[in-house]
Amino acid sequence: MIFQISDASATGDPIAGKAAFAKCASCHQVGPSARGGFGPQLNGIIGRPAASTKDYKYSAAMQSSRIVWSEEKLRAFLRSPGDVVPGTKMRFFGIGSDTQIDNLLAYLRTFSAVSNGTPASPPR
């Protein structure tokens, strides 16, 4: 049997994504002790409904968005948050590089909500 990987979730470098996360880390946290601050914690973000963590006060726009954060939706949001959720409180101009977004998503995939944010295989 031949399997072809065409899914975007198979792309990206989590180590490079850890470096890319530096621009997110002033507002967001990941890992076992992550909590909301200027932005919500991002453990288990992929597959999580928007505005669903209890440790952050979301904008009305985010609360009513009815988004479930798929990788596709996160890609669009990371490119231009205000286009995906008009009225969001997130003050970020976006990331224009697809490679950087791939790497960032690869890094975020290593933090699951089930494991309380402990990386599956920690980037070095």
Side-chain angles (χ1 to χ4, degrees), residues 3-45:
F3 294 97
Q4 185 175 21
I5 298 175
S6 61
D7 183 30
S9 68
T11 62
D13 175 358
I15 295 169
K18 182 177 182 179
F21 188 76
K23 65 180 69 174
C24 310
S26 62
C27 297
H28 298 281
Q29 296 179 11
V30 291
S33 61
R35 57 183 167 70
F38 286 111
Q41 59 84 9
L42 299 179
N43 294 332
I45 186 68

Side-chain angles (χ1 to χ4, degrees), residues 67-122:
I67 290 174
V68 173
W69 291 117
S70 66
E71 289 198 24
E72 214 173 275
K73 190 59 82 172
L74 280 166
R75 281 176 195 288
F77 189 75
L78 289 168
R79 277 190 196 98
S80 182
D83 288 349
V84 175
V85 182
T88 181
K89 291 191 312 187
M90 186 160 153
R91 299 293 173 242
F92 181 68
F93 294 110
I95 300 171
S97 165
D98 287 336
T99 300
Q100 210 171 42
I101 291 172
D102 288 344
N103 294 340
L104 184 56
L105 290 174
Y107 178 64
L108 291 175
R109 279 193 302 272
T110 67
F111 296 94
S112 73
V114 175
S115 66
N116 193 27
T118 302
S121 54

